[in-house]
Amino acid sequence: MFEFKLPDLGEGVAEGEVLTWHVSPGDAVTEDQVLAEVETDKAAVDVPSPVDGVVQELHAEVGEMVRTGEVLITIAEEGDAETSEASGTEDATAPEAAEAGGSTKTDASAADGRVFASPSVRRLARETGVDIAAVDGSGPGGRVTEADVEAAADAAGEAGDDGPTSVVSKVSDDGDGPTAVVSRVDDGDDEDDGTAVKSAVRSVSEDGQQAERRDQTLATPATRKVARELDVDIDAIPTDQTRDGQPYVDEAAVRTYAEAQQAAQAADAEAVSTGGGAASETAAEAGDTTAAGGAGAEPRAVETSEGERREPYRGVRRAIGEQMARSRREVPHATHHDRVVVSGLVEARERLEPLAEERGVDLTYTPFVVKCVAAALDQHPVLNTALDTENEEIVYHEAHNIGVATATDHGLVVPVVDDVDGKGLLELAGEINDLVARARSRDIERAEMQGGTFTVTNFGAIGGEYASPIINVPETAILGIGALKERPVVTDGEVVAQPTLPLSLAIDHRVIDGADAARFVNTLKAYLSDPTRLLLE
């Protein structure tokens, strides 16, 4: 049996989100056949099969995050004992089951100890405390369905089966909805393997206070498996341990944290049973935001009315959201706005565009802007930096690697043009056009979106003049370009129409002062108004 673990998908990639499965349990696959599409940050990657065989189990659902090195899919290779036994199990077992008056569905679904069920069904079984191997599958080929698991759970409940015995919802007086949900688990002697525990109080530390959630945590696959079984958010577990400068959590910390959560749940259950609705008010007065649904509580669900629709918040959209939230949370933004007359830029492009077409290059304004930005960064290096908060150092980049923010059908991505100084205008234009086209077709490599030192975003291509762009951390600045068009400008005491370009420079105020931003923009304006100045560099 071959356990295919999520491979290393690129430098620095720690995990990926399953976007699509292209196979199902029971499917025959060949080497190099695409098994799934996995998203890492902003790049979607096809994951091919390394072997020939038959799919036995998918270990992750669509939308689930899988760490590098965790088992993604199990494949039975040709010659595996389980594969050969499975091929004749149903025929050999059916007569015996008929003679014994048993069900062939059970044999089909659990032959050789294997159960045919999707990851979501397996998760439901774990959450409800149902032994999925003992469930009769009613689906095709004896596959266990969610209805089968729910029926088994109901039957176990009616028979007094051990497991969850109550679920209590505590509702606040203002009608905002449930503020706590408590699952009470039987206190029998059986060892708790975490499958019957479904925690609804998240991010609570040992002292009952709300824990700050990290963006990334290092842990072994085995530890992450335990966290999933105990329904613990591994990024919220307090830890003083580090590995390679990153927070590290071990299995003991996970179990200790889970016990703290369960204790908090027990306290909530007692408050509900003894204090009723007053518990919410008491918690609010005491500043307990976890119980009272305050600032640290779990997000409330949004109701959907008729005519509205929902779509999953995942993939590129979630990656963008997390990056933007991190930037706004960590970085004190300040934005400097200005406008520049770009008659010289317009004339330069008009002169060079026919020559570029002869060489098969579509010459837009973007390579001009990128080239001018690099020249300005050379004179104002503080804007070509990154803040290393761990070592408390400002990193000055020597290379000018400019990110070009690109709007696509699947979200905003930022291809990076390396070493702008060392490339001519036509080479730069061709490279930008290629990167943007492949970004929009999702054919871009993750490495081509890394290593940026400064970002340019052209929102004016869609419309608008000024904005407050969000910095692409760990960079310390981003330049927003508004719509290039004729606007009234005072020249020699007269108002005339001139092509102008609005500029919006957002800076990390921890590193860059407002005066630095203004000086950079003044230098950039000089290059944009007359690009021939670049010949002097």
Side-chain angles (χ1 to χ4, degrees):
M1 192 67 62
F2 182 79
E3 291 187 338
F4 180 40
K5 300 177 181 179
L6 183 66
D8 185 355
L9 300 176
E11 181 180 356
V13 176
E15 61 185 4
E17 178 182 348
V18 179
L19 293 183
T20 307
W21 279 109
H22 294 290
V23 296
S24 301
D27 289 352
V29 296
T30 58
E31 186 176 355
D32 293 331
Q33 178 180 338
V34 175
L35 301 173
E37 187 178 12
V38 176
E39 181 133 55
T40 60
D41 290 340
K42 298 179 182 177
V45 181
D46 287 335
V47 179
S49 173
V51 297
D52 297 337
V54 177
V55 176
Q56 296 299 299
E57 184 177 356
L58 309 180
H59 292 271
E61 299 180 66
V62 171
E64 186 173 341
M65 301 300 297
V66 181
R67 300 286 299 181
T68 300
E70 288 186 352
V71 177
L72 182 66
I73 184 173
T74 303
I75 301 174
E77 298 182 82
E78 185 177 356
D80 281 351
E82 187 167 345
T83 303
S84 60
E85 290 171 5
S87 63
T89 297
E90 186 172 350
D91 292 341
T93 307
E96 298 174 4
E99 290 177 5
S103 170
T104 59
K105 287 183 179 179
T106 302
D107 296 324
S109 64
D112 288 333
R114 293 181 294 117
V115 177
F116 296 102
S118 68
S120 61
V121 173
R122 293 177 183 274
R123 174 174 292 180
L124 177 62
R126 291 195 299 268
E127 293 173 350
T128 55
V130 170
D131 181 5
I132 197 170
V135 177
D136 291 344
S138 62
R143 186 181 302 276
V144 178
T145 66
E146 290 186 359
D148 298 331
V149 173
E150 290 170 353
D154 292 340
E158 293 174 0
D161 185 52
D162 291 341
T165 57
S166 68
V167 177
V168 181
S169 295
K170 179 175 63 176
V171 183
S172 60
D173 292 339
D174 58 8
D176 282 344
T179 57
V181 180
V182 182
S183 296
R184 177 162 56 86
V185 182
D186 182 78
D187 294 328
D189 296 332
D190 294 339
E191 181 179 357
D192 180 13
D193 62 357
T195 59
V197 178
K198 181 173 176 60
S199 172
V201 182
R202 302 173 187 267
S203 302
V204 181
S205 60
E206 292 183 39
D207 59 0
Q209 298 299 313
Q210 184 74 14
E212 181 179 355
R213 191 180 187 280
R214 296 178 293 275
D215 291 324
Q216 184 176 1
T217 303
L218 298 181
T220 65
T223 298
R224 293 184 180 277
K225 181 180 179 181
V226 172
R228 287 196 301 271
E229 291 174 346
L230 298 178
D231 198 25
V232 166
D233 183 357
I234 202 166
D235 291 320
I237 299 176
T239 180
D240 294 328
Q241 300 186 66
T242 60
R243 295 289 188 276
D244 299 326
Q246 294 292 329
Y248 176 81
V249 169
D250 57 20
E251 183 176 338
V254 171
R255 296 191 180 278
T256 300
Y257 185 70
E259 291 174 0
Q261 285 187 311
Q262 293 172 23
Q265 293 177 53
D268 276 345
E270 182 178 357
V272 172
S273 61
T274 59
S280 180
E281 296 177 0
T282 303
E285 293 172 358
D288 186 351
T289 58
T290 301
E298 284 290 295
R300 290 195 298 267
V302 178
E303 295 184 359
T304 305
S305 60
E306 185 177 356
E308 298 177 341
R309 66 182 179 88
R310 292 174 178 265
E311 61 180 34
Y313 178 60
R314 62 176 184 240
V316 172
R317 176 48 52 198
R318 188 171 69 183
I320 293 172
E322 291 175 350
Q323 179 77 348
M324 295 301 98
R326 175 193 171 194
S327 181
R328 276 300 189 190
R329 183 173 63 249
E330 296 179 0
V331 177
H333 283 63
T335 306
H336 178 87
H337 300 289
D338 209 333
R339 180 184 292 179
V340 56
V341 176
V342 289
S343 301
L345 173 63
V346 173
E347 292 171 1
R349 178 176 176 267
E350 289 177 348
R351 289 197 309 268
L352 297 177
E353 188 176 20
L355 300 176
E357 289 181 356
E358 291 178 2
R359 303 187 186 186
V361 177
D362 180 17
L363 185 61
T364 66
Y365 286 109
T366 302
F368 286 96
V369 172
V370 168
K371 197 72 175 173
C372 291
V373 165
L377 288 174
D378 193 48
Q379 297 183 37
H380 304 277
V382 71
L383 279 88
N384 198 50
T385 56
L387 180 60
D388 184 347
T389 55
E390 182 176 347
N391 295 308
E392 297 185 344
E393 295 175 337
I394 300 173
V395 180
Y396 285 78
H397 299 294
E398 182 176 353
H400 298 142
N401 301 332
I402 310 299
V404 180
T406 304
T408 71
D409 291 340
H410 51 278
L412 185 71
V413 296
V414 187
V416 176
V417 183
D418 293 332
D419 189 24
V420 172
D421 294 318
K423 295 172 181 175
L425 193 63
L426 288 185
E427 181 184 1
L428 201 58
E431 184 173 346
I432 291 174
N433 293 342
D434 174 65
L435 286 170
V436 169
R438 288 192 290 111
R440 288 174 175 161
S441 64
R442 304 192 74 167
D443 191 31
I444 191 169
E445 298 292 334
R446 187 177 189 275
E448 295 175 300
M449 296 185 290
Q450 294 179 315
T453 62
F454 187 97
T455 297
V456 174
T457 177
N458 183 13
F459 49 81
I462 300 174
E465 296 189 355
Y466 298 101
S468 295
I470 298 178
I471 297 169
N472 189 17
V473 291
E475 299 170 18
T476 55
I478 180 172
L479 178 69
I481 306 295
L484 193 161
K485 63 181 181 180
E486 288 193 339
R487 296 179 176 89
V489 177
V490 178
T491 304
D492 297 330
E494 296 184 359
V495 178
V496 296
Q498 293 277 16
T500 59
L501 191 65
L503 306 175
S504 299
L505 176 69
I507 59 170
D508 183 341
H509 224 324
R510 298 173 300 178
V511 178
I512 304 168
D513 293 330
D516 295 322
R519 295 188 187 101
F520 170 83
V521 170
N522 289 339
T523 301
L524 178 62
K525 287 168 61 179
Y527 284 116
L528 290 172
S529 62
D530 183 10
T532 59
R533 289 172 176 262
L534 294 171
L535 298 176
L536 299 176
E537 301 302 325

